[in-house]
Amino acid sequence: MQFLADIFLAAGALGAALYCVVLSRRLRAFNDLEGGMGGAVAILSAQVEDLRKTLGAAQNSAGASTESLTALTSRAEDVARRLELLVASMHDLPEPHTTSAPEGPGIAAPVFSHRARQENAG
C-alpha cells in the first residue's frame, strides 16, 4: 500500500512539473514584446501618450479660437449697435423731393429749373 501511494505521489509530482513547464512557455509567449500581449500593451501605451499630446494641442487651439470668436462677437455687437443708431437717425431726416415722372433703366427723368423757364419765356 505504501508503494502504491509513492507511485501516485511521483505521478502527481511529474504531472505538476509538466503543467508548470507548459504554463511557463505560455507565459513567456504572452509577455513577448514582439508578438505577445506585452508588445500590444507597449504599443497601446505609446498611442495613449500620443493621443494625450494631440488632445492637449487641440485644447490649446480651441481656447485660442474661443478667445478670437469672443473678440469678434463683441466687435460685431458694437457694429450692430452703431447700425441701429444710424437707421434710427435716418428716420429723423426729411424725405427728399421726388418727381412724378416714371423712371426706368432707359428713361431719364426730365430736369427743369425755374430759371430756365424764365429765360425761355423772356
Side-chain angles (χ1 to χ4, degrees):
M1 185 68 133
Q2 182 71 23
F3 182 68
L4 191 59
D6 287 341
I7 290 177
F8 281 135
L9 184 63
L14 187 60
L18 183 63
Y19 185 70
C20 285
V21 168
V22 170
L23 282 180
S24 173
R25 286 183 183 169
R26 286 185 181 177
L27 186 60
R28 196 174 304 131
F30 185 75
N31 287 331
D32 185 23
L33 289 178
E34 291 180 15
M37 189 58 85
V41 168
I43 290 171
L44 287 175
S45 176
Q47 288 177 347
V48 165
E49 187 61 32
D50 289 343
L51 286 174
R52 185 176 292 135
K53 289 178 184 176
T54 303
L55 181 61
Q59 286 175 339
N60 290 340
S61 175
S65 295
T66 301
E67 291 174 7
S68 174
L69 285 175
T70 302
L72 287 173
T73 302
S74 66
R75 282 182 51 199
E77 288 173 352
D78 291 340
V79 169
R81 278 190 218 107
R82 279 192 236 148
L83 283 174
E84 286 175 359
L85 286 174
L86 285 174
V87 169
S89 67
M90 292 294 288
H91 292 293
D92 296 339
L93 292 177
E95 292 189 23
H97 297 288
T98 58
T99 60
S100 60
E103 293 185 23
I107 302 172
V111 178
F112 297 109
S113 69
H114 185 32
R115 180 175 288 189
R117 279 193 215 160
Q118 289 176 351
E119 289 176 358
N120 289 336

